[in-house]
Amino acid sequence: MAEATDRIVPGKEEAGVWAMTHLPGQFRNVVDQALAAYRSRECPHTKQERQLSGGPWDRKSLLEYRDYVRSLYRDGKRAYHQRSG
């Protein structure tokens, strides 16, 4: 994301749209589901409703996505930017 180099934090929707075209395909379902939940007109009020919004969520896919993102930032370095450019 060009914005990241300027230290401007993108919005959730913008980041999700970016992720759909830049992340490995195995994560697109998780990102697509998150975008659909974010774009939904339903407004969760409680903590539990927010956690379950857009669900049911596939725990294995979420953990794999989490681990992938963590690997990009291991050792405090942005490994993704080093790999891509």
Side-chain angles (χ1 to χ4, degrees):
M1 287 182 148
E3 293 85 1
T5 60
D6 296 333
R7 301 229 183 258
I8 297 172
V9 178
K12 292 175 186 172
E13 185 170 13
E14 182 182 4
V17 170
W18 178 90
M20 291 295 289
T21 59
H22 289 81
L23 292 179
Q26 71 194 65
F27 302 118
R28 290 196 184 120
N29 286 339
V30 170
V31 173
D32 188 49
Q33 187 176 358
L35 274 172
Y38 181 75
R39 292 171 173 166
S40 172
R41 293 187 181 269
E42 295 179 26
C43 183
H45 298 284
T46 67
K47 181 178 179 180
Q48 184 177 15
E49 287 175 343
R50 286 192 300 275
Q51 290 173 336
L52 299 175
S53 180
W57 295 89
D58 178 48
R59 181 171 173 77
K60 183 176 184 255
S61 296
L62 289 172
L63 294 175
E64 288 173 354
Y65 180 69
R66 178 204 63 191
D67 293 343
Y68 172 75
V69 172
R70 282 182 176 172
S71 76
L72 298 179
Y73 287 88
R74 103 177 41 117
D75 301 325
K77 297 178 184 175
R78 286 183 264 171
Y80 176 80
H81 295 291
Q82 293 171 351
R83 283 188 227 146
S84 65

